[in-house]
């Protein structure tokens, strides 16, 4: 891969593999983060369709060549922002479920609700990023990307809600329940991302979790 070869070359040239390689990776990471931060601001201000590469480059202070090198263009930046947000949401939910299990919780619905609460909390904490994806605007193929992610969440939630069930496939009722609950969480995330205050977001999260428990039982 290009990155590994570049790192190897840097280690050989400067004779200090760990320090030189670390600096190189740190610079690359700083470049990527500067580009993503600038892209997020421009997408928020202009919308995806009207966002321009020139403005992203100007706001980031990074060269256009670096932008294309790391992300391939505007669409790549959008996808990277989406993947960063969804990865954080998924990681937060998984960590909350794991923590609940370690504390002795075994009820599938309680575990599911713990994961949902953590997911929704990220919708507030990362609201600037979450708002970018509320209207469905994006590059070609982004709607397919969203559907694929939704199907992944439904499958994960179905497995969690079943608990330590036998190995047979989930039944239709279980699949539909997971679909309904996942849809509720997704729509709630949209409302939380546009809440006017942290208190309002917290109230929505609490009410959504109460609704999820009633629906799941």
């Amino acid at each position: 891969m290009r990155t590994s070869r570049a790192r190897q070359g840097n280690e050989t040239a400067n004779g200090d593999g760990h320090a030189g390689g670390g600096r190189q990776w740190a610079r690359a990471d700083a470049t990527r983060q500067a580009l993503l931060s600038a892209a997020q601001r421009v997408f928020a201000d202009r919308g995806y369709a009207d966002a321009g590469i020139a403005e992203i480059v100007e706001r980031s202070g990074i060269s256009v060549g670096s932008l294309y090198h790391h992300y391939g263009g505007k669409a790549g930046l959008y996808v990277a922002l989406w993947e960063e947000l969804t990865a954080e949401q998924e990681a937060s939910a998984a960590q909350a479920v794991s923590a609940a299990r370690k504390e002795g919780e075994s009820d599938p619905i309680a575990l599911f609700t713990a994961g949902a609460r953590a997911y929704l909390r990220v919708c507030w904490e990362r609201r600037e990023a979450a708002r970018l994806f509320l209207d469905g605007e994006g590059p070609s193929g982004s709607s397919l990307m969203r559907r694929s992610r939704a199907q992944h969440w439904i499958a994960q939630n179905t497995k969690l809600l079943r608990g330590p069930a036998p190995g047979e496939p989930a039944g239709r009722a279980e699949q539909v329940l997971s679909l309904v609950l996942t849809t509720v969480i997704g729509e709630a995330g949209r409302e939380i991302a546009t809440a006017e205050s942290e208190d309002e977001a917290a109230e929505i999260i609490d009410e959504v979790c109460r609704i999820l428990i009633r629906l799941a039982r």
Side-chain angles (χ1 to χ4, degrees), residues 73-198:
K74 186 170 74 168
L77 286 163
Y78 181 94
V79 171
L81 286 167
W82 164 261
E83 290 179 342
E84 183 180 69
L85 175 64
T86 55
E88 186 172 340
Q89 291 168 330
E90 186 166 358
S92 182
Q95 289 167 4
V97 172
S98 178
R101 282 191 173 123
K102 287 180 180 178
E103 292 175 0
E105 184 60 71
S106 60
D107 177 36
I109 297 175
L111 293 171
F112 172 80
T113 305
R117 181 179 291 277
Y119 170 94
L120 294 172
R121 185 66 190 173
V122 174
C123 292
W124 169 253
E125 293 171 348
R126 294 292 311 281
R127 55 195 176 279
E128 291 85 0
R131 289 169 186 163
L132 298 179
F133 310 108
L134 295 181
D135 58 7
E137 186 184 9
S140 175
S142 58
S143 59
L144 178 61
M145 177 178 70
R146 294 166 189 268
R147 286 197 299 272
S148 176
R149 178 63 64 173
Q151 290 168 355
H152 168 76
W153 273 105
I154 291 168
Q156 290 293 100
N157 288 339
T158 300
K159 185 184 301 184
L160 181 58
L161 285 165
R162 295 193 80 201
E168 69 270 10
R172 179 63 64 188
E174 292 173 313
Q175 293 174 341
V176 171
L177 174 61
S178 180
L179 169 63
V180 169
L181 296 178
T182 304
T183 301
V184 169
I185 295 169
E187 290 302 310
R190 296 166 63 91
E191 292 301 313
I192 290 164
T194 56
E196 295 184 357
S197 68
E198 185 172 7

Side-chain angles (χ1 to χ4, degrees), residues 25-47:
W25 282 101
R27 285 196 299 271
D29 185 63
T31 296
R32 287 190 291 268
Q33 288 304 312
L35 287 166
L36 287 177
S37 296
Q40 180 174 304
R41 294 194 302 271
V42 175
F43 290 154
D45 292 344
R46 312 286 184 207

